Amino acid sequence: MLAARGAVVVALVSGLCGCRTWHEGFVKQRLLQTRFFNSDVPRPLAEVDALVTERKREGPVTSPCRFCLVSAEDERGGARRYCFEAFGEPGCVRARQLGPSATRFEAAQPEPVPVAVVRELWRLVDEPAAVAANNETEFDVEAIAIEEEKRFTPRWTFLGGARTGAVVSGDAPTFTFGGQAGFRYWANYFLLLGGAAEVESALQNNRSYVTLGTMARAELSVWSDENQRFFNLPFLTFLMSVGPLVAFGRAPSAGVRASVGAHVVHVGRFLTPLFFEIGFQSLIVDEQSTSGLRVAMGLGF
């Protein structure tokens, strides 16, 4: 038992280290954007708006411009949304006033704002900071990643789906069909905790019975602002679950199940709600064993 707990701890620590490396890779890809959106522009929103409006493109579009304002509109809460074009690349941002003399920008769309748009906008509203950011090296990637993780707000989401599986035991193999439903909670930038209720119909030889389980879950992933578009669902997770199991044959019997696996919800622009699990269950139903290696796959979120 202690060895199993130690293995789980090692897996969690190793997974979290891997997630940090993954996160820092994301930061490197959008380093300039991250610096800009984490910085305060030392101008009130009205002054920023005046500077930006001067870049509005006039006349017909004949060729890509170096940096032009495509549109500007008010949003709720006093924010302003701006869409730009820089060297043919479009991008939209949102500006909010912070206090009497500062403005903070954020991305106004799920897709990353192009580097060219961020660079030219930063030069327009705060050129000294933009020049300094362009001249900095990537040595502060870890610091930026840590800052993002500290500012993360925990969030709730859900899980649910249908699956089929098989258990290879000392007796005949068991085939299962059923589903699960529950909740997930983003405890931090990398870790989701949750619980699920699982109901399955099991077939073994010429008999059938129903199992009911409650699983405690831990999942490793990396938060992205794009997750908010999909009810805070993670795009890809490595999952671990364990919990008690009750089977209803001729007489009720109790057991336990533990699994590890992967859950892919979203790849690119396409929903791919697939998951795969492999693990072990210990269960004896009506004096016949269904204990052994368990493999399952399914569809769900």
Side-chain angles (χ1 to χ4, degrees):
M1 192 66 171
L2 290 176
R5 291 179 180 176
V8 171
V9 171
V10 170
L12 277 171
V13 172
S14 300
L16 288 172
C17 291
C19 289
R20 163 55 65 78
T21 302
W22 192 2
H23 183 201
E24 290 182 4
F26 286 159
V27 171
K28 287 182 180 179
Q29 293 175 12
R30 51 180 172 78
L31 192 57
L32 188 67
Q33 294 98 316
T34 301
R35 289 185 177 129
F36 178 58
F37 293 136
N38 285 344
S39 301
D40 295 339
V41 175
R43 299 176 186 269
L45 181 56
E47 188 174 333
V48 167
D49 188 67
L51 288 172
V52 168
T53 303
E54 292 178 359
R55 305 307 299 258
K56 186 172 182 179
R57 189 170 197 165
E58 303 293 344
V61 178
T62 57
S63 62
C65 67
R66 182 173 181 273
F67 182 63
C68 299
L69 175 66
V70 177
S71 65
E73 57 186 30
D74 291 323
E75 292 192 337
R76 293 178 180 178
R80 288 276 284 169
R81 177 189 173 97
Y82 303 104
C83 290
F84 300 97
E85 178 190 323
F87 303 100
E89 293 188 274
C92 298
V93 299
R94 181 178 295 108
R96 301 180 186 277
Q97 181 153 334
L98 301 177
S101 59
T103 299
R104 172 71 64 88
F105 284 89
E106 62 185 27
Q109 56 192 19
E111 296 78 17
V113 182
V115 173
V117 170
V118 172
R119 182 183 293 113
E120 297 303 320
L121 175 59
W122 206 353
R123 284 177 177 171
L124 177 66
V125 298
D126 190 2
E127 186 172 7
V131 171
N134 273 322
N135 292 333
E136 288 178 1
T137 66
E138 296 183 355
F139 291 128
D140 59 347
V141 167
E142 182 178 1
I144 291 174
I146 292 173
E147 181 183 351
E148 286 189 348
E149 292 154 21
K150 287 181 177 178
R151 292 192 292 109
F152 178 76
T153 302
R155 294 167 168 86
W156 292 92
T157 185
F158 67 93
L159 66 93
R163 67 182 172 195
T164 182
V167 181
V168 180
S169 64
D171 292 324
T174 303
F175 300 96
T176 64
F177 310 88
Q180 61 180 357
F183 68 92
R184 288 160 157 158
Y185 178 72
W186 285 90
N188 58 42
Y189 211 89
F190 306 127
L191 178 65
L192 293 95
L193 301 176
E198 302 180 350
V199 179
E200 291 183 338
S201 176
L203 302 174
Q204 186 182 36
N205 285 334
N206 295 321
R207 67 173 184 153
S208 65
Y209 56 91
V210 174
T211 63
L212 174 63
T214 54
M215 300 291 128
R217 296 167 55 103
E219 297 178 79
L220 299 178
S221 186
V222 177
W223 171 262
S224 168
D225 290 339
E226 294 184 36
N227 295 125
Q228 291 179 301
R229 295 177 58 200
F230 299 97
F231 308 102
N232 299 328
L233 289 169
F235 291 167
L236 169 65
T237 69
F238 169 71
L239 64 92
M240 294 164 280
S241 66
V242 63
L245 195 64
V246 178
F248 299 92
R250 292 193 301 269
S253 57
V256 65
R257 175 185 294 166
S259 300
V260 297
H263 198 153
V264 183
V265 172
H266 194 270
V267 175
R269 296 179 178 272
F270 303 99
L271 288 174
T272 55
L274 305 172
F275 60 90
F276 173 81
E277 300 173 357
I278 185 170
F280 178 83
Q281 78 174 34
S282 176
L283 182 65
I284 297 176
V285 183
D286 300 332
E287 300 182 353
Q288 190 169 351
S289 173
T290 59
S291 300
L293 177 69
R294 179 178 181 274
V295 178
M297 62 183 300
L299 297 172
F301 296 97

